[in-house]
Amino acid sequence: MSTNSIDSLLHETRRFPPSEAFAASAVATNELYEKAAADRVGFWADQSRELLHWHTPFTQTLDWSNAPFARWFADGELNVAYNCLDRHVLAGNGDRVAFHWEGENGDTASYTYSELTAAVKRAANVLTKLGIGQGDRVAIYLPVIPEAVIAMLAVARIGAVHSVVFGGFSAESLRSRIDDASAKLVITADGGWRKGKVFPLKPAVDGAIANGTSTIEHVLVVRRGENEVDWTDGRDRWWHDELASVPAEHEAQAFEAENPLFILYTSGTTGKPKGILHTSGGYLTQVAFTHKNVFDLHPETDVYWCTADVGWVTGHSYVIYGPLANGATQLLYEGTPDTPHPGRWWELIQKYRVSIFYTAPTAIRSFMKIGRQVPNQFDLSSLRVLGSVGEPINPEAWIWYRDVIGGGETPIVDTWWQTETGAIMISALPGVTSLKPGSAQVPIPGVKIDILGEDGTRVDPPRGGLLVVSEPWPSMLRGIWGDPDRFIETYWSKFSVPASEGQDAVWKYFAGDGAHVDTDGDIVLLGRVDDVMNVSGHRLSTQEIESALVSHPIVAEAAVVGAADEATGQAVVAFVIIKSNQADAQTADEASALLRRHVTEQIGAIARPRQIFIVAELPKTRSGKIMRRLLQDVAEGREIGDTTTLADTSVMQIISDKLK
Ligand code: PRX
């Protein structure tokens, strides 16, 4: 974040207490905080029993004896899909719409809970027929279409593990995820709609598994784009043919609470993306709890819309599992906000009378730029709660969101969490909390957050420090797929205190974010403190993009920084040294275009650098470490900071002179 925006965040004085009318019918109450404060673990046990159906009730709540590997509700058994489907039908809500779906090209569909249950039962039978059983991994590479929901729930229903890969990732990224998880099946489509065109998905799948050593046995293909696709007989199957060929009935079996539910890959500071592992009972408890209380869900009357793609954690927790566990009615939209016109989102809110809306600050800022005249053309009066996620929301965007989209009245919940935390951890509760623009504010009931200094002691407010979660929480990650050491090293090594004589070990989860806490105890998030960038609310690793750049034969060295960007929060800016024997082969512009394409092929369009500067040298310390801080100064157009620790102090002068 730039220094200016941090300043405006920390000097925000406006307060928005809940209206009396809202508070009177609010789902959340102060009592939740009181109960959780009195008995944190017992509070989660009560929530879990109240919110979920347990085939076998649990008698233990938290087992932390093998910390930091937690087990929640470990002797209980449940079926996640049954909780999201069958039980609503059995409770008499089968005719309630689970979701309205709107394709970008104008196609529509609606599924009631009965219809969705029926579809998932058939899909579960297809998976079993294709040899998928409990614990097997299934990769899902789909657009936001009903089949994505059905596929994820079908995998969950049979106790298998899904690994959803965002459709914007390249064949190369898909391949590394399939290989890391040894997936047996991929579910994809013959295309999806984006920006008025059909984009292909099947060729990336073909490319990802082409090397002959892939663990993939079958590819299930949903017909959506009506695109021509290459076909490998025996391996490839049409989704609709397979669904028609299996029995309609499928009884949900109960699995242990700690049965793995999904793996989701996310970027870290080093190496390849990490497969974050989530399990069943604890995860479902916290996503259901937060979805109900943070969004003030009244499932009989609300229409909820979260704009996230199912390929990200927000799509997992707040499109699939939270809303469906709570029996909500939601909207699902396949495409981009501005296709075929810049008011598409607002038109959808008007059409479906959306009452709860959850999106990212990047989207809000891009709408602000276009101006209020676009949303003003639509009737947005159905909205009553707005949410924000993925990056800090600056007070200007917060106020615009409330005034222009929320009619000046709706509460806004700024929700802080991560792929690793599985569910919302810090957020106001509408109807309870007095809102502060730009601040995520307070941990949800049952979650313990601290802001620590580098030495591990709690900072005295008002001050900044590093964000840690100090007690285990139900939806916490259970590990990194296949790499327990990296799990401990990445998240638990910075602030945990090992056991010593007479003293148990103290485990603290370090989130990688900087935060400021004020004298009210409210938390303002300040962005990542590591080499993870946040571009449009998506996590990218500087190192992963550097590796992609140096994998190109013309590149000798590369350094990547996240530079502050008004629209996307941060933008990828790369500094590249071209190999001396290649330097004359093309102009800097040609090399830069070539390398931008290369990064897109290696990772995906979200990682494509906004700018690539071709330079002769990179600023390094005497021990050879690249000083990204100085490159960030250049990328953000600032005066260059202290260069005295550089091995060659003239390097930065040469770089900045050249770029001027
Ligand atoms: O830096 C924080 C930022 O997004 C990171 C997590 O990214 P990811 O795992 O992709 O999950 C995004 C959606 C939950 C965090 O480490 N972040 C997320 N929400 C906020 C945020 N930063 C500030 N305010 C938020 N509300």
Side-chain angles (χ1 to χ4, degrees):
M1 228 188 299
S2 70
T3 328
N4 277 353
S5 42
I6 292 178
D7 257 14
S8 79
L9 271 175
L10 300 185
H11 294 107
E12 177 57 53
T13 53
R14 289 165 284 195
R15 298 291 177 271
F16 299 87
S19 72
E20 259 172 48
F22 194 103
S25 60
V27 171
T29 57
N30 253 319
E31 210 191 346
L32 292 172
Y33 292 109
E34 288 157 18
K35 281 192 175 157
D39 175 8
R40 196 180 57 81
V41 172
F43 166 81
W44 284 119
D46 291 346
Q47 288 301 329
S48 190
R49 291 191 187 100
E50 189 185 312
L51 291 162
L52 305 184
H53 172 84
W54 288 89
H55 277 72
T56 310
F58 57 88
T59 62
Q60 311 161 356
T61 304
L62 168 66
D63 175 3
W64 193 227
S65 59
N66 187 31
F69 297 90
R71 290 165 62 78
W72 282 86
F73 317 120
D75 64 344
E77 290 185 324
L78 80 170
N79 184 293
V80 169
Y82 179 92
N83 270 281
C84 293
L85 301 165
D86 312 52
R87 69 163 166 148
H88 302 314
V89 179
L90 293 170
N93 294 322
D95 291 339
R96 185 185 296 165
V97 172
F99 60 82
H100 302 283
W101 172 75
E102 186 83 27
E104 195 193 73
N105 62 342
D107 288 351
T108 57
S110 282
Y111 281 73
T112 63
Y113 274 94
S114 290
E115 290 162 343
L116 186 60
T117 306
V120 171
K121 284 180 175 180
R122 274 191 187 274
N125 283 328
V126 169
L127 297 178
T128 309
K129 181 183 146 193
L130 294 178
I132 306 298
Q134 181 182 3
D136 286 338
R137 275 79 61 204
V138 175
I140 297 179
Y141 188 60
L142 284 171
V144 179
I145 54 177
E147 288 79 2
V149 184
I150 296 165
M152 289 166 77
L153 290 170
V155 171
R157 190 174 183 91
I158 62 167
V161 186
H162 56 68
S163 165
V164 183
V165 180
F166 171 59
F169 277 123
S170 66
E172 200 40 44
S173 294
L174 177 62
R175 186 189 56 73
S176 73
R177 286 158 172 77
I178 286 174
D179 290 352
D180 186 74
S182 310
K184 280 171 80 174
L185 171 75
V186 192
I187 307 178
T188 188
D190 63 349
W193 284 85
R194 202 184 138 74
K195 294 191 192 286
K197 288 199 291 258
V198 174
F199 67 93
L201 287 159
K202 178 74 167 41
V205 174
D206 293 336
I209 63 180
N211 60 6
T213 61
S214 178
T215 47
I216 294 295
E217 294 167 7
H218 290 105
V219 180
L220 266 177
V221 187
V222 176
R223 187 170 276 158
R224 164 67 188 138
E226 308 283 340
N227 243 350
E228 280 288 313
V229 289
D230 287 343
W231 206 255
T232 302
D233 284 331
R235 187 196 72 183
D236 298 351
R237 313 275 176 105
W238 285 109
W239 167 271
H240 55 269
D241 286 345
E242 294 299 313
L243 253 73
S245 75
V246 292
E249 232 356 278
H250 181 275
E251 197 179 329
Q253 195 194 322
F255 296 99
E256 285 178 7
E258 286 296 338
N259 195 54
L261 178 62
F262 66 85
I263 303 169
L264 187 59
Y265 287 82
T266 189
S267 296
T269 43
T270 55
K272 56 185 172 96
K274 304 171 288 206
I276 302 300
L277 175 68
H278 283 287
T279 61
S280 304
Y283 172 80
L284 200 61
T285 299
Q286 195 172 330
V287 294
F289 172 80
T290 47
H291 181 258
K292 176 180 162 190
N293 288 287
V294 170
F295 297 111
D296 191 53
L297 180 75
H298 295 263
E300 309 77 22
T301 47
D302 274 318
V303 178
Y304 163 87
W305 182 19
C306 165
T307 63
D309 191 287
V310 293
W312 307 112
V313 74
T314 309
H316 284 58
S317 302
Y318 298 105
V319 176
I320 310 293
Y321 293 111
L324 295 173
N326 289 335
T329 294
Q330 56 178 327
L331 171 64
L332 230 66
Y333 171 57
E334 178 188 33
T336 48
D338 51 358
T339 308
H341 60 81
R344 184 75 190 267
W345 275 11
W346 319 124
E347 182 182 55
L348 289 172
I349 289 174
Q350 171 180 283
K351 176 172 173 187
Y352 291 99
R353 306 290 302 153
V354 171
S355 53
I356 307 172
F357 182 61
Y358 190 30
T359 195
T362 290
I364 309 294
R365 287 193 298 265
S366 66
F367 289 124
M368 272 174 85
K369 221 153 102 194
I370 307 170
R372 61 174 70 208
Q373 71 283 0
V374 176
N376 281 352
Q377 289 161 28
F378 299 92
D379 175 9
L380 305 180
S381 61
S382 54
L383 289 171
R384 52 176 212 89
V385 178
L386 301 177
S388 172
V389 62
E391 46 180 324
I393 178 164
N394 46 313
E396 300 71 39
W398 196 101
I399 296 287
W400 190 92
Y401 195 19
R402 180 171 160 110
D403 283 350
V404 178
I405 307 305
E409 283 185 8
T410 51
I412 296 180
V413 285
D414 174 8
T415 62
W416 178 89
W417 58 294
Q418 307 177 296
T419 306
E420 291 87 340
T421 69
I424 294 168
M425 302 291 277
I426 306 178
S427 173
L429 296 183
V432 177
T433 319
S434 184
L435 304 168
K436 225 180 245 186
S439 167
Q441 299 196 278
V442 282
I444 60 154
V447 163
K448 177 89 173 72
I449 301 278
D450 281 307
I451 314 296
L452 306 181
E454 274 293 339
D455 63 355
T457 56
R458 216 172 286 152
V459 302
D460 291 324
R463 242 184 85 189
L466 302 170
L467 186 85
V468 302
V469 189
S470 313
E471 298 284 354
W473 63 104
S475 64
M476 66 196 289
L477 75 166
R478 298 303 197 262
I480 295 178
W481 186 257
D483 203 344
D485 294 340
R486 191 175 175 202
F487 169 63
I488 297 175
E489 172 58 31
T490 308
Y491 303 107
W492 303 94
S493 61
K494 192 168 172 71
F495 291 118
S496 300
V497 184
S500 59
E501 227 170 286
Q503 284 278 279
D504 287 343
V506 180
W507 293 94
K508 288 181 196 280
Y509 169 89
F510 173 48
D513 280 49
H516 182 275
V517 58
D518 68 17
T519 43
D520 300 330
D522 283 327
I523 298 168
V524 172
L525 275 305
L526 300 175
R528 302 286 306 194
V529 294
D530 51 16
D531 290 331
V532 172
M533 292 172 285
N534 191 328
V535 178
S536 300
H538 296 144
R539 242 163 102 166
L540 295 169
S541 132
T542 50
Q543 216 216 358
E544 203 186 339
I545 302 176
E546 286 167 6
S547 307
L549 286 165
V550 295
S551 75
H552 196 282
I554 67 167
V555 175
E557 266 192 272
V560 166
V561 297
D565 183 287
E566 224 175 82
T568 58
Q570 283 188 309
V572 180
V573 177
F575 296 82
V576 170
I577 304 178
I578 303 289
K579 284 183 184 156
S580 53
N581 60 352
Q582 300 282 339
D584 299 329
Q586 57 252 305
T587 64
D589 281 350
E590 283 163 356
S592 153
L594 178 74
L595 294 174
R596 291 177 80 231
R597 266 201 311 279
H598 179 68
V599 173
T600 309
E601 279 160 22
Q602 290 292 305
I603 305 176
I606 48 167
R608 182 171 50 220
R610 182 186 72 186
Q611 284 162 296
I612 296 183
F613 296 118
I614 309 295
V615 294
E617 293 207 55
L618 291 170
K620 288 186 184 157
T621 60
R622 275 174 274 274
S623 59
K625 204 170 163 294
I626 295 174
M627 291 192 70
R628 290 206 184 75
R629 174 174 61 77
L630 300 176
L631 293 173
Q632 193 148 9
D633 290 342
V634 174
E636 293 177 353
R638 249 197 321 270
E639 197 166 314
I640 293 162
D642 182 5
T643 57
T644 47
T645 53
L646 284 180
D648 173 357
T649 48
S650 64
V651 168
M652 282 319 294
Q653 200 52 49
I654 297 170
I655 292 179
S656 65
D657 285 351
K658 179 165 177 221
L659 301 182
K660 269 181 203 142

